[in-house]
Amino acid sequence: MAKIKALESYYADKPSFQFAFISDTQGFFAETEDLVQDINRRNVAFVLHGGDLTNYAFTDEFERMHRALAKLQAPYVTVIGNHDCLGDGAKIYRNMYGPLNHTFTFNQNKFIFLNTNFLELNSDAVPDTNWLEEELESAPENINKIVVSHVPPNDAVANKEKEQAIAELLRQHKVLLALNGHIHRYRAEQTYDDGVWYVSSASADKRGYVMVTVTGDKASFENIDF
């Protein structure tokens, strides 16, 4: 995270910045190497990963995927995916990447990473909507809010008891983008017809990711094939 904070002054007076959103690199090591090479040819401040770094949450999978992603010229930040939660995966993930729910700010932007894998973690408390609400409310009005999670709130394996609560929080706090993985294909829609864009990235084996450009209080996004 320190690497991202160090970039703030460089981008402070720039009219816009870009970041890449990738997801579901789970076991697709050759494709991830190609993905990294493609991103390295582009001008991105950082890379966000939508989860499922692994397929079976083995330690060697986490380590091998990190070695591939560490070749990115820009720093990367990830949220946990459902495959990353299998077995002792959540513990391994915490040791490598930190808390399952976390945030960072980048100039006038707050990025909120929300764990949405309630089935694998066998917990009705996931996702933690109280924590999400606190993080959204603590962000100043003039700051962009971007929420990153693995499972989209309307997915078949999402916690359906919390779907509407999440949608309402994102709507109420005028979230700029909701970024998701899990479905292994690019999708961009206003799922609840409320002005909030829910954008999913393709998986690495589908050879796609999303390029996001933030300009002031607006964001645009493009599916990139590599």
Side-chain angles (χ1 to χ4, degrees):
M1 213 63 70
K3 292 181 179 179
I4 292 178
K5 297 300 286 185
L7 294 170
E8 283 189 313
S9 58
Y10 174 80
Y11 283 98
D13 59 352
K14 300 288 189 297
S16 65
F17 72 95
Q18 288 187 313
F19 66 88
F21 177 57
I22 68 177
S23 193
D24 299 270
T25 54
Q26 56 192 87
F28 307 124
F29 296 106
E31 293 88 345
T32 299
E33 295 277 357
D34 292 343
L35 168 64
V36 167
Q37 290 182 21
D38 193 84
I39 293 174
N40 283 344
R41 290 194 288 266
R42 302 173 187 272
N43 181 26
V44 300
F46 46 81
V47 178
L48 305 185
H49 194 302
D52 276 3
L53 296 105
T54 68
N55 202 23
Y56 301 106
F58 295 145
T59 300
D60 64 328
E61 281 187 290
F62 277 109
E63 292 176 346
R64 186 178 174 187
M65 185 53 66
H66 172 66
R67 288 195 295 271
L69 294 173
K71 295 176 183 177
L72 286 163
Q73 294 174 1
Y76 81 94
V77 185
T78 182
V79 72
I80 192 167
N82 62 316
H83 281 256
D84 303 325
C85 296
L86 299 175
D88 291 330
K91 179 180 179 181
I92 299 168
Y93 182 96
R94 287 189 186 94
N95 289 337
M96 287 190 67
Y97 294 106
L100 305 190
N101 295 314
H102 62 100
T103 71
F104 76 85
T105 58
F106 182 74
N107 290 327
Q108 293 302 111
N109 306 274
K110 182 171 185 176
F111 293 84
I112 301 171
F113 295 77
L114 178 68
N115 167 31
T116 53
N117 309 293
F118 95 110
L119 278 182
E120 287 73 17
L121 294 174
N122 193 29
S123 173
D124 290 336
V126 175
D128 189 340
T129 50
N130 290 330
W131 177 86
L132 175 61
E133 183 173 16
E134 290 173 1
E135 293 299 331
L136 289 169
E137 288 184 345
S138 66
E141 284 296 318
N142 65 336
I143 200 168
N144 296 323
K145 294 171 282 290
I146 296 174
V147 176
V148 184
S149 59
H150 182 66
V151 180
N154 65 331
D155 192 82
V157 301
N159 188 338
K160 304 308 289 185
E161 296 295 323
K162 297 198 173 189
E163 177 184 358
Q164 293 306 318
I166 291 174
E168 174 58 29
L169 284 171
L170 271 57
R171 176 168 52 248
Q172 176 185 345
H173 292 280
K174 298 180 174 62
V175 165
L176 186 63
L177 283 178
L179 301 175
N180 304 110
H182 187 64
I183 66 172
H184 286 221
R185 62 183 174 86
Y186 173 71
R187 183 175 70 188
E189 63 181 20
Q190 293 188 28
T191 306
Y192 303 97
D193 296 321
D194 56 6
V196 179
W197 281 97
Y198 291 76
V199 180
S200 295
S201 173
S203 51
D205 64 318
K206 301 291 175 41
R207 307 189 71 85
Y209 64 95
V210 180
M211 184 68 71
V212 180
T213 303
V214 178
T215 305
D217 61 355
K218 301 186 184 309
S220 59
F221 41 86
E222 178 186 4
N223 181 52
I224 304 293
D225 296 316
F226 65 92

